[in-house]
Amino acid sequence: MENESKIKINFSYIADFNKQKQFILMAICITCMCNLFATFVSADIVYNTTSPIATILIVAIMADEITESGNGWTSGFYFLFGIFFWALSDILVIIYTYFEVGSNFLEAISDTLYLMPNYTFMLAFFLLIFFRCDKKQKKLLVIGESLVTIILGVTYAQYVNIDFGVSGYTSEYGVSAVAYAIPVIYIFSTILILFIIRDIRKEGKAFYMVLAGIFIYNILELRYTYYTAAHLEPELPVLDVVYLATMILIALAYNDPTMNHKEKNEKV
């Protein structure tokens, strides 16, 4: 029971936000609800416009706090960068859907930008853990996640080649499948090694929020990777709200004072 009380996430600190942040958070929630409703009624214009609005607001609520998160500011910067890429992608969707209709160039750029958060989140999550580890744990982290990533990566490559026939990854599907798989495999490897080398019960609620956000986000990307490799349609608009929810969770984590964490046992 004592351990459970330590890891319980408490969102009561939101009440301590200034009025501007509370207003932004309320606007994010309303926008996400509109986005979800639009997917069910096939209101494409509402769906396409509410997503970038939500991500821009998430960037706004996070940008003001990452410099106050102590040694967590570097990971916060890359998380913020990834969310910003998502917002740019959404804006390009609006442009090539309603203004530059049928622009393959803009669509290609948008698709590439949607992939970028995977890589910036991968780096951000690694840095978040790396700077919270002592010297021994840092070595174990790098060695362990490298080995696990290689093993899972080779297994995945063989699975794609044999079952889906993406020989040499030269096709559009093959390249996409591999590009999405790399950060997904790496993040899952990092999470696995984290639980092996470190007692996360010592962490604050901000860390649990990021861990939950990145895990759920990665589950969604695992699904997307599988569908891409299987030559199936990976897009499922209703899941966009879940993507946005993971970004909100990460943004709120960097507004929490427990993100400013310094490992007491770290030896320089």
Side-chain angles (χ1 to χ4, degrees):
M1 293 297 293
E2 183 179 352
N3 290 337
E4 289 179 359
S5 63
K6 288 182 179 179
I7 64 174
K8 184 178 180 180
I9 296 175
N10 185 357
F11 291 96
S12 62
Y13 69 93
I14 292 176
D16 296 328
F17 283 5
N18 59 42
K19 289 184 178 180
Q20 182 180 6
K21 283 189 178 179
Q22 290 180 358
F23 175 79
I24 294 174
L25 187 59
M26 186 181 299
I28 291 173
C29 293
I30 293 173
T31 306
C32 288
M33 291 174 62
C34 291
N35 182 274
L36 180 61
F37 178 75
T39 62
F40 288 110
V41 299
S42 300
D44 292 343
I45 295 179
V46 176
Y47 167 77
N48 287 329
T49 54
T50 51
S51 183
I53 291 173
T55 47
I56 290 171
L57 291 173
I58 293 170
V59 168
I61 205 171
M62 184 177 180
D64 184 49
E65 290 294 332
I66 58 173
T67 56
E68 304 298 325
S69 56
N71 61 348
W73 81 268
T74 49
S75 61
F77 173 79
Y78 286 108
F79 274 124
L80 182 67
F81 211 33
I83 298 171
F84 180 69
F85 276 133
W86 187 287
L88 285 180
S89 302
D90 281 345
I91 291 171
L92 286 177
V93 169
I94 295 175
I95 294 174
Y96 73 70
T97 301
Y98 303 110
F99 299 98
E100 296 292 330
V101 180
S103 174
N104 294 329
F105 176 70
L106 291 178
E107 186 174 357
I109 295 177
S110 178
D111 289 343
T112 302
L113 288 175
Y114 274 126
L115 175 61
M116 293 306 296
N118 292 38
Y119 287 90
T120 58
F121 286 0
M122 176 183 72
L123 178 58
F125 188 59
F126 170 78
L127 291 174
L128 178 66
I129 295 173
F130 186 79
F131 288 119
R132 301 169 94 86
C133 292
D134 58 32
K135 291 184 178 180
K136 181 179 179 181
Q137 290 172 340
K138 287 177 180 177
K139 292 178 182 178
L140 292 173
L141 175 67
V142 173
I143 295 172
E145 67 183 1
S146 298
L147 290 175
V148 174
T149 299
I150 291 172
I151 293 171
L152 293 179
V154 171
T155 303
Y156 172 79
Q158 292 300 316
Y159 178 64
V160 171
N161 262 326
I162 294 173
D163 290 348
F164 299 121
V166 190
S167 179
Y169 311 114
T170 55
S171 72
E172 178 183 352
Y173 284 108
V175 172
S176 296
V178 173
Y180 273 96
I182 292 172
V184 169
I185 292 172
Y186 190 87
I187 290 175
F188 276 133
S189 301
T190 303
I191 293 174
L192 175 62
I193 299 302
L194 168 66
F195 279 93
I196 294 174
I197 69 171
R198 189 173 175 83
D199 183 2
I200 67 168
R201 290 176 297 178
K202 299 178 181 178
E203 302 292 349
K205 63 176 174 288
F207 183 83
Y208 301 128
M209 291 163 70
V210 174
L211 183 61
I214 198 67
F215 181 76
I216 296 171
Y217 185 94
N218 221 43
I219 289 291
L220 296 177
E221 287 302 276
L222 178 63
R223 172 200 167 275
Y224 193 97
T225 301
Y226 173 80
Y227 274 66
T228 301
H231 298 201
L232 301 173
E233 175 53 53
E235 300 291 345
L236 188 58
V238 71
L239 291 180
D240 278 1
V241 174
V242 184
Y243 276 108
L244 291 174
T246 63
M247 297 179 200
I248 294 170
L249 198 58
I250 292 171
L252 290 178
Y254 282 88
N255 278 266
D256 188 274
T258 62
M259 181 53 70
N260 189 354
H261 173 93
K262 181 72 174 177
E263 179 61 53
K264 296 180 181 179
N265 297 324
E266 174 69 13
K267 296 180 180 179
V268 180

